[in-house]
Amino acid sequence: KLFNAGIQAVRDVSAESEIDTKIALHYAGIDNNESNGLSWFYENVIAHGITDFDVIGFSYYYSWHGGSIEQVGNQIQQLSQTYPDKEIIILETGYPWTDRNFDNSGNIINDFVSGYGPPSPSHQLAYLVDLTKEVMSSGGDGVIFWESAWVTTPCYTPWAQGSSHDHVVFFEPFTDNFIGSGGGLWMNPDFYGDMNSVQVIFKTDAAEEDTSKGVFIVGDIDNDRAIEQFRMYHEGKGIYSYTTYMSPGFNGGFNFQLGDTAAVSETVPDSCTTGGSRTFTVGDSNQEIGYVFGSCESIVENNEEPEGLTVTFAVNMDGRDVSGGMYVTGDFTRINGSDWSIEPMEEAEENIFVYTT
């Protein structure tokens, strides 16, 4: 009665409005079995007489709901076949771009998907693009991100100062600049005109330059063939990056510049330019293209995703009290700046405790 009364109220107002409001029912998660789960929820909603809605909606966060992108696609296919008259939308999803915390409020999304780590803006973007491609190819109708603008501030919630989502948002902490390599680019329709598009990361080493006004990339670096300018993300130690998606075989040109107005463009030797611009051709897999600012010197060893190294820390605690557990603290994951964390260690053999990352 409560659901149907609410639905009728929306229909009544919508009938007198210029906006034809769509109604979505929202389930949090994708778990699916006979006693609970996404399909179970909608089967029971409809069985109990709640049928006048337009959108089957659900939340999907890997940290809380588990599963893979492929499993999400399978769920959408199943729902699409069972309810062909309904739209199917991920009403909430999110994925971090860093494991750092920038305030006193603890981060609430802390798990990373295999193949989309270590945490970085480009891995956040890759996850969102791949998830969206899966939704599209499986018959789904939309993806909504939460929460793209909950940046850290001096404000307090009932729990702490700041934001528990500052590591997920599409903006840099403290400056609030849009992250030019991150998930905020995911809504670009040019990424999905070709479902075989690949990720391309442009990088420059501008450590010797005055970057106080920001570093930008200008050129034909999207499938739409327009000359555009984008702010690059400072990864640290003078390395700036911009991430996009393009079709294999696409070729274009670009240059780096300092500042977006009264800009200082790099002067590149003729030996590595065509008509004054750097050129590139997109391969069949994800790749990086990077140079020292104003130079032909490459800063990318190859076009393959670098593999991480596995490191194990071990300590012998023989004769010491370990009743409270053993932990190791340090800056384990980032190459720039300080981002210390405290990690639990496991007892690998008697009195020998290890932590592997």
Side-chain angles (χ1 to χ4, degrees):
K1 290 182 178 180
L2 182 60
F3 270 79
N4 282 331
I7 288 171
Q8 189 59 53
V10 174
R11 296 299 189 206
D12 290 346
V13 173
S14 182
E16 312 232 338
S17 168
E18 294 180 359
I19 299 173
D20 183 16
T21 305
K22 290 185 178 182
I23 293 175
L25 299 188
H26 188 170
Y27 179 84
I30 63 168
D31 290 339
N32 202 25
N33 55 57
E34 293 181 358
S35 60
N36 62 61
L38 186 55
S39 293
W40 174 89
F41 174 77
Y42 283 99
E43 287 171 8
N44 280 273
V45 160
I46 292 171
H48 283 77
I50 306 169
T51 59
D52 183 19
F53 62 96
D54 308 293
V55 177
I56 290 175
F58 61 98
S59 297
Y60 172 63
Y61 295 91
Y62 175 78
S63 271
W64 301 323
H65 303 133
S68 65
I69 289 176
E70 291 73 20
Q71 286 174 298
V72 173
N74 292 336
Q75 283 271 268
I76 291 174
Q77 290 180 38
Q78 178 182 334
L79 291 167
S80 180
Q81 293 167 4
T82 306
Y83 308 103
D85 60 324
K86 307 295 186 186
E87 295 182 31
I88 303 172
I89 299 175
I90 297 181
L91 293 175
E92 269 193 42
T93 193
Y95 195 75
W97 60 269
T98 181
D99 57 3
R100 297 184 67 184
N101 187 12
F102 302 98
D103 51 35
N104 294 323
S105 182
N107 295 343
I108 59 174
I109 300 179
N110 296 300
D111 294 323
F112 299 92
V113 181
S114 176
Y116 299 93
S120 70
S122 59
H123 279 134
Q124 180 194 44
L125 177 60
Y127 182 80
L128 291 173
V129 169
D130 288 351
L131 176 62
T132 302
K133 285 182 176 180
E134 183 70 25
V135 171
M136 294 172 68
S137 62
S138 299
D141 297 278
V143 178
I144 297 175
F145 186 92
W146 193 92
E147 178 10 91
S148 59
W150 195 359
V151 296
T152 184
T153 73
C155 299
Y156 280 80
T157 69
W159 300 277
Q161 170 269 321
S163 165
S164 57
H165 240 51
D166 52 14
H167 64 313
V168 175
V169 297
F170 296 157
F171 304 90
E172 295 178 6
F174 312 119
T175 67
D176 295 338
N177 287 328
F178 183 73
I179 298 176
S181 281
L185 300 170
W186 132 84
M187 293 179 288
N188 187 339
D190 293 330
F191 293 178
Y192 307 99
D194 177 4
M195 295 294 277
N196 294 315
S197 62
V198 298
Q199 187 181 86
V200 182
I201 304 176
F202 295 90
K203 290 186 174 184
T204 185
D205 182 344
E208 302 299 320
E209 310 298 328
D210 177 6
T211 60
S212 59
K213 296 181 179 179
V215 178
F216 294 77
I217 184 170
V218 180
D220 176 14
I221 51 175
D222 276 320
N223 282 336
D224 59 7
R225 289 291 181 187
I227 303 298
E228 298 180 81
Q229 172 182 279
F230 300 95
R231 176 184 286 271
M232 303 183 76
Y233 168 67
H234 186 204
E235 296 185 358
K237 295 187 177 180
I239 303 297
Y240 291 78
S241 66
Y242 173 75
T243 305
T244 187
Y245 277 76
M246 286 180 279
S247 300
F250 181 93
N251 55 76
F254 69 97
N255 284 110
F256 304 115
Q257 69 179 36
L258 306 174
D260 59 343
T261 58
V264 177
S265 183
E266 62 175 349
T267 302
V268 188
D270 293 339
S271 58
C272 56
T273 64
T274 300
S277 294
R278 302 182 186 273
T279 59
F280 67 94
T281 299
V282 178
D284 294 328
S285 59
N286 295 347
Q287 67 190 97
E288 293 186 0
I289 301 168
Y291 300 94
V292 174
F293 190 93
S295 167
C296 296
E297 181 183 350
S298 175
I299 60 172
V300 178
E301 293 184 1
N302 54 57
N303 288 334
E304 301 297 326
E305 292 264 348
E307 295 185 5
L309 295 175
T310 299
V311 180
T312 297
F313 298 84
V315 59
N316 186 337
M317 295 299 294
D318 190 28
R320 296 179 180 271
D321 180 9
V322 294
S323 59
M326 270 302 299
Y327 296 82
V328 59
T329 182
D331 181 7
F332 301 113
T333 58
R334 293 182 60 82
I335 60 172
N336 309 308
S338 177
D339 185 28
W340 280 53
S341 61
I342 301 174
E343 306 293 343
M345 303 184 78
E346 297 181 356
E347 191 169 11
E349 54 186 276
E350 187 174 5
N351 296 320
I352 303 294
F353 291 81
V354 300
Y355 168 69
T356 299
T357 185

